[in-house]
């Protein structure tokens, strides 16, 4: 169904449980996700926000996008304002971008709504249509509205029989502060509160649990993804990251690093679920109870 996003053409997908919308012509970008009966976009809406690059402004839009890691200027910020096409499928859609100038990579996102709950399978695909091999990792980034808290589960068990080897890593970016009041580190969960601050923060790690979540109001947004910790990953071995600044927070997952030869492709799958909760928990113990069955 045709709709719009701040004046930009978009298309929507809905069932009895959730509503989703993606841009038509730009992206691929998912720009709306809401739970039926509650309403309110859990994603950030940023039609005015852009990043300056040597090729001109890269528009963020908000919502969900597919990039390829590692983050490098200008390769990561190839503009995607035009040339995107979408094909309807039963209960979903396939959204394909044009071949990127300079990289030869084509991005594609396939959406498939669940028929019995508020969930959608998001399959990300990067295809090398250029003349040379490219080393990259599929990188799925969801920009979410402020006011909630990102929940990042941690590995508690030993990875070797004697418990002599490390089982967790914390990766920090140059602008991140360990004393940032938004960040709360616990043995089982790391929490990053999405409070507006002009000082950005980003943390990452190897998530072996296979999910990450964002709690906003009466909605818990859960991303589930396959983990492959024995394969090489970017950013000192990260497959899960979260970034927050003054207008949004990002919940990100990253696939293993691969070298795509011409004609090859790689996929990265996220399973999204929206869960309606009662009153939002106000304590760490309340959050622990909320996510204990994930």
């Amino acid at each position: 169904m045709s709709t719009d996003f701040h004046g930009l053409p978009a298309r929507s997908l809905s069932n009895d449980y959730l509503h989703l919308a993606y841009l038509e012509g730009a992206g691929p970008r998912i720009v709306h996700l809401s739970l039926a009966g509650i309403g309110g976009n859990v994603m950030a809406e940023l039609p005015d926000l852009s990043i300056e690059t040597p090729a001109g402004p890269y528009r963020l839009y908000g919502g969900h996008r597919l990039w390829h890691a590692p983050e490098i200027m200008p390769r990561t910020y190839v503009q995607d304002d035009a040339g995107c096409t979408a094909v309807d499928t039963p209960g979903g859609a396939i959204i394909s971008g044009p071949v990127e100038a300079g990289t030869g990579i084509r991005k594609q996102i396939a959406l498939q709504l669940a028929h019995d709950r508020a969930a959608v399978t998001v399959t990300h695909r990067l295809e090398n249509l250029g003349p040379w091999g490219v080393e990259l990792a599929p990188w799925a980034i969801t920009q979410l509205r402020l006011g909630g808290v990102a929940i990042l589960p941690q590995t508690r068990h030993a990875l070797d029989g004697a418990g002599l080897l490390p089982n967790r890593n914390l990766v920090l970016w140059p602008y991140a502060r360990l004393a940032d009041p938004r960040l709360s580190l616990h043995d089982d969960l790391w929490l990053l509160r999405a409070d507006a601050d002009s000082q950005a923060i980003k943390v990452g790690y190897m998530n072996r649990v296979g999910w990450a979540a964002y709690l906003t109001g009466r909605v818990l947004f859960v991303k589930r993804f396959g983990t492959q910790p024995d394969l090489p990953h970017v950013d000192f071995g990260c497959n899960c990251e979260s970034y927050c600044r003054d207008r949004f927070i990002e919940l990100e997952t990253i696939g293993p690093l691969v070298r795509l030869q011409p004609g090859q492709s790689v996929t990265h799958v996220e399973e999204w679920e929206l869960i309606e909760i009662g009153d939002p928990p106000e304590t760490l113990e309340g959050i622990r109870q909320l996510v204990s069955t994930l």
Side-chain angles (χ1 to χ4, degrees), residues 148-196:
V149 58
I151 305 169
L152 308 174
Q154 300 301 306
T155 299
R156 299 293 303 276
H157 62 273
L159 301 181
D160 63 307
L164 300 177
L165 299 179
N167 66 346
R168 285 162 288 180
N169 63 326
L170 168 62
V171 178
L172 300 171
W173 274 251
Y175 45 81
R177 301 167 294 167
L178 275 175
D180 194 306
R182 293 168 293 183
L183 180 64
S184 179
L185 303 178
H186 307 277
D187 291 336
D188 54 343
L189 299 173
W190 294 349
L191 305 178
L192 183 59
R193 295 200 173 273
D195 299 331

Side-chain angles (χ1 to χ4, degrees), residues 32-35 38-43 45 145 216 219 274:
H32 183 99
L33 182 66
S34 60
L35 190 63
I38 292 184
N41 191 2
V42 302
M43 294 180 166
E45 299 185 12
R145 68 191 187 195
T216 174
V219 177
L274 294 179

Side-chain angles (χ1 to χ4, degrees), residues 30-96:
I30 303 167
V31 292
H32 183 99
L33 182 66
S34 60
L35 190 63
I38 292 184
N41 191 2
V42 302
M43 294 180 166
E45 299 185 12
L46 309 166
D48 60 317
L49 195 59
S50 62
I51 298 172
E52 290 301 321
T53 79
Y58 176 86
R59 298 183 65 184
L60 284 171
Y61 295 112
H64 181 79
R65 67 187 186 271
L66 170 60
W67 270 3
H68 39 92
E71 187 170 0
I72 302 170
M73 181 69 77
R75 189 192 84 168
T76 304
Y77 297 87
V78 174
Q79 293 162 321
D80 59 359
D81 294 330
C84 196
T85 60
V87 176
D88 292 333
T89 61
I94 300 174
I95 315 156
S96 301

Side-chain angles (χ1 to χ4, degrees), residues 31-274:
V31 292
H32 183 99
L33 182 66
S34 60
L35 190 63
I38 292 184
N41 191 2
V42 302
M43 294 180 166
E45 299 185 12
L46 309 166
D48 60 317
L49 195 59
S50 62
I51 298 172
E52 290 301 321
T53 79
Y58 176 86
R59 298 183 65 184
L60 284 171
Y61 295 112
H64 181 79
R65 67 187 186 271
L66 170 60
W67 270 3
H68 39 92
E71 187 170 0
I72 302 170
M73 181 69 77
R75 189 192 84 168
T76 304
Y77 297 87
V78 174
Q79 293 162 321
D80 59 359
D81 294 330
C84 196
T85 60
V87 176
D88 292 333
T89 61
I94 300 174
I95 315 156
S96 301
V99 178
E100 290 183 342
T103 72
I105 300 300
R106 181 168 65 188
K107 299 172 181 174
Q108 184 182 86
I109 294 178
L111 305 171
Q112 184 63 53
L113 300 183
H115 68 277
D116 58 351
R117 59 196 175 97
V120 57
T121 300
V122 186
T123 301
H124 309 82
R125 185 170 182 261
L126 297 173
E127 183 179 11
N128 185 5
L129 297 176
W132 51 77
V134 179
E135 188 174 60
L136 52 73
W139 184 9
I141 305 172
T142 308
Q143 293 186 305
L144 299 153
R145 68 191 187 195
L146 294 177
V149 58
I151 305 169
L152 308 174
Q154 300 301 306
T155 299
R156 299 293 303 276
H157 62 273
L159 301 181
D160 63 307
L164 300 177
L165 299 179
N167 66 346
R168 285 162 288 180
N169 63 326
L170 168 62
V171 178
L172 300 171
W173 274 251
Y175 45 81
R177 301 167 294 167
L178 275 175
D180 194 306
R182 293 168 293 183
L183 180 64
S184 179
L185 303 178
H186 307 277
D187 291 336
D188 54 343
L189 299 173
W190 294 349
L191 305 178
L192 183 59
R193 295 200 173 273
D195 299 331
D197 193 320
S198 60
Q199 175 68 49
I201 181 172
K202 185 170 185 178
V203 298
Y205 71 112
M206 172 53 65
N207 182 328
R208 298 171 184 268
V209 181
W211 64 264
Y214 185 66
L215 176 62
T216 174
R218 292 171 51 211
V219 177
L220 182 68
F221 169 57
V222 182
K223 282 191 181 197
R224 296 182 176 90
F225 58 100
T227 64
Q228 298 172 281
D230 295 330
L231 296 180
H233 285 74
V234 300
D235 298 344
F236 297 163
C238 289
N239 69 351
C240 186
E241 299 173 355
S242 188
Y243 171 87
C244 186
R245 51 174 292 184
D246 56 337
R247 293 186 60 187
F248 60 87
I249 186 170
E250 292 180 343
L251 198 59
E252 313 170 7
T253 69
I254 311 170
L257 192 64
V258 297
R259 184 166 186 84
L260 286 187
Q261 297 300 332
Q264 293 182 333
S265 64
V266 62
T267 59
H268 176 65
V269 180
E270 292 183 335
E271 300 281 349
W272 295 358
E273 185 175 11
L274 294 179

